Amino acid sequence: MHFAIPVAAALLASAHGASAAYNLVREYSGSSFFDGWEFYGNYDNLTNGDVNFVSAANASSEKLAYVNDAGKVIITVDNTTSVTYNNKRDSVRVATTDYFPVGSVILFDATHLPYGCSVWPSFWTKGINWPAGGEIDIIEAVNLMTYNQMALHTNAGCTQPSGVNQTGATSATDCGTTSGCTVAEQQSNSVGAGFASAGGGVWAAQFDSSGIFIWFWTRNSVPSSVSSATNSIDTSSWGTPSAAYPSSSCNINNFFTAQQLVIDITLCGDWAGAASIYQSTCGGDGTATACYLNNVINTPVNYTNAYFEISYVKVFSTTNDVLVPTVSGTNTVLVTDTATSTASKSSASSTSTSGSDSSGGSNGAAMTGAKAYAAIAGATVVAALSFVLF
Ligand SMILES: *[C@@H]1O[C@H](CO)[C@@H](O)[C@H](O)[C@H]1NC(C)=O
Ligand SMILES: *[C@@H]1O[C@H](CO)[C@@H](O)[C@H](O)[C@H]1NC(C)=O
Ligand SMILES: *[C@@H]1O[C@H](CO)[C@@H](O)[C@H](O)[C@H]1NC(C)=O
Ligand SMILES: *[C@@H]1O[C@H](CO)[C@@H](O)[C@H](O)[C@H]1NC(C)=O
Ligand SMILES: *[C@@H]1O[C@H](CO)[C@@H](O)[C@H](O)[C@H]1NC(C)=O
C-alpha cells in the first residue's frame, strides 16, 4: 500500500521530543461538539457487543449524547430502559467526519470515563479502509479493570521493538495479531472510579512518521504545555510516554493512513463479555452468557457510571490538512476539508485548494479544486462501504 503522505511532513518529523510545529486544526468542545461527529446508527456488528448504537436523533431524544450545563460532553449507555431477553441496550458510537494524517497530535481531556460490569468504552482511531490502514487504541478498558490498555492494530509486519522508552508495561508486541500490540498503563487512576475521583486526566497521542507515542496525565499532573495549548502545541517537554511504538519496527507511513477518531461504549462482546475476562473482575458463574444476563437485560442495575464526561478533543497537525472522504469515480479518496463550521478553529479553511500541490496523491488529477489523497492503492473496494454509517 502506498499512502501519499506529504513528503515535507515525512522528512521534517523526527523523534518525539523534537519541536515540530503542531498547529490546532480541530477543537471539539462545548455546544458544537457533536457537529463534527457522525453517529453509527446500527447494532454493534463490529465487536459483538449487546448494544444498538443509536442514530443522532435517538441519541438526542434519549439523552445519550449531549452537552451538559457545565459545557461538558456526555456520552452514555441507556441506564433507564428495561430491556427484554434477546434484545440489546441502546448506546453510542460516534466518529469524526474528518480524518487526520500522519503528523498529528490528538488531545483528549475527560473528567469521567465509563466503567462498570459489562461496560467496554474506547477512544480510538482508524483508517478509512479499516482494519487496513491501522488503528490506534488510546483509551480502552473493560468491566472493572483498574488500568488503561493502549494498543495498535495493523496489517502483518508491524511490531513494537523490545526495550522501548515508555513507562507502560508491554503485554504483546505483534501489532498484526487480533489483540494487537498492547501496553498497560502503570500510572494510577487511568480509568474507572480512580480516574473520576482524581478529577480525570488528559491523553495525548502523537501520530508521527517517527512513531506513535501516547502520554497520560492524571489531573494534577497535566503539564501547562497541554492545559494551556490553544493555537499550537509543543511535545518537547513531555518526557517519556506511557506507550511508545517507534517506527524502527513499524513503518508508520506504510501501515497507517489518515485516522478518524472514534468514541464508543459497547456492552459485553468480544472482550468485556469473554467468560474468563468478565469473571476476572465481575465474578458471576463463569459462563459465556453471564455478562449479558447479569447486566444488559431487565432494569439496569448499575450503569450509573457508564458515561464519558469530556472537556474537549483537540487535534494539532504539522500539515494543516484535515481530510474528508469523497467519491471519485469508483474510488473513495480523502480530500482536504475546507468546511469551517465543525470546529471553533479550522486551519483547513486557509489551506490551498490547488490541485497542483505536490503533496497530492496520484488521484489528485481526478479532483478539481481539491487536494486528493489516495485512501488505498487500488481503492475499488472502498466503494462498497457506506460512509454515512460512520
Ligand atoms: C455493519 O452494519 C452496517 C450497516 O448495515 C454495514 O454497512 C457494515 O458493512 C456492517 N459491518 C460489518 C463489519 O458487518
Ligand atoms: C430510533 O428509535 C426508533 C424508535 O424507538 C427506533 O424504531 C429506531 O430503530 C431507532 N434507530 C436508531 C438507528 O437508533
Ligand atoms: C456499582 O458498580 C460500582 C463499580 O462500577 C460498584 O462500586 C458499586 O458497588 C456497584 N453498585 C451496586 C449497587 O451494585
Ligand atoms: C527516554 O525518553 C525521555 C524523554 O524523551 C528521555 O529524557 C530519556 O533520556 C530517554 N531514555 C532513554 C533510555 O532513551
Ligand atoms: C444514569 O446515569 C446518570 C449519569 O449519566 C445518572 O445521573 C443517573 O442517576 C443514572 N440513573 C440511573 C437510574 O442509574
Side-chain angles (χ1 to χ4, degrees), residues 346-387:
S346 170
S347 299
S349 61
S350 61
T351 299
S352 164
T353 55
S354 165
S356 64
D357 188 302
S358 62
S359 66
S362 57
N363 288 343
M367 306 302 302
T368 51
K371 216 186 308 182
Y373 291 74
I376 187 175
T380 47
V381 62
V382 186
L385 291 177
S386 171
F387 295 104

Side-chain angles (χ1 to χ4, degrees), residues 71-358:
K72 300 277 179 68
V73 174
I74 305 294
I75 294 174
T76 184
V77 172
D78 170 5
N79 69 348
T80 58
T81 302
S82 179
V83 172
T84 55
Y85 178 74
N86 252 347
N87 288 302
K88 301 173 191 290
R89 183 167 291 280
D90 283 354
S91 186
V92 175
R93 181 188 194 273
V94 288
T96 54
T97 52
D98 285 323
Y99 287 71
F100 304 96
V102 177
S104 297
V105 171
I106 300 153
L107 296 187
F108 183 96
D109 184 319
T111 43
H112 193 279
L113 297 177
Y115 67 94
C117 291
S118 78
V119 179
W120 176 3
S122 187
F123 173 60
W124 56 291
T125 78
K126 59 186 269 295
I128 193 170
N129 296 305
W130 180 74
E135 169 181 335
I136 307 169
D137 298 335
I138 300 167
I139 304 172
E140 195 163 23
V142 294
N143 302 317
L144 298 179
M145 258 173 79
T146 55
Y147 61 90
N148 181 40
Q149 179 176 287
M150 297 154 281
L152 301 185
H153 293 271
T154 64
N155 285 340
C158 165
T159 62
Q160 185 191 44
S162 57
V164 292
N165 192 355
Q166 66 179 17
T167 62
T170 295
S171 29
T173 56
D174 188 345
C175 310
T177 60
T178 305
S179 52
C181 45
T182 48
V183 175
E185 178 63 69
Q186 299 295 289
Q187 301 178 74
S188 55
N189 300 329
S190 61
V191 294
F195 178 82
S197 58
V202 180
W203 282 265
Q206 186 177 18
F207 174 42
D208 193 87
S209 60
S210 66
I212 293 170
F213 308 96
I214 302 172
W215 287 262
F216 166 68
W217 300 279
T218 193
R219 183 62 58 197
N220 66 12
S221 303
V222 179
S224 61
S225 64
V226 169
S227 53
S228 66
T230 50
N231 291 334
S232 65
I233 199 160
D234 181 2
T235 65
S236 63
S237 63
W238 292 355
T240 307
S242 292
Y245 301 96
S247 60
S248 54
S249 62
C250 180
N251 185 322
I252 303 300
N253 289 323
N254 284 352
F255 286 98
F256 288 84
T257 56
Q259 299 282 299
Q260 174 186 40
L261 316 184
V262 184
I263 301 171
D264 69 76
I265 314 171
T266 194
L267 301 175
C268 304
D270 296 336
W271 189 17
S276 63
I277 298 289
Y278 180 78
Q279 192 174 34
S280 69
T281 58
C282 290
D285 65 6
T287 63
T289 51
C291 182
Y292 177 73
L293 296 177
N294 295 346
N295 298 282
V296 180
I297 59 169
N298 301 323
T299 301
V301 288
N302 201 357
Y303 287 129
T304 306
N305 284 304
Y307 68 96
F308 284 96
E309 185 178 51
I310 300 167
S311 300
Y312 63 77
V313 176
K314 293 180 185 175
V315 186
F316 300 82
S317 174
T318 55
T319 70
N320 288 345
D321 279 328
V322 176
L323 309 174
V324 284
T326 192
V327 175
S328 171
T330 56
N331 291 346
T332 295
V333 296
L334 292 172
V335 299
T336 299
D337 182 4
T338 54
T340 56
S341 59
T342 57
S344 57
K345 176 175 189 285
S346 170
S347 299
S349 61
S350 61
T351 299
S352 164
T353 55
S354 165
S356 64
D357 188 302
S358 62

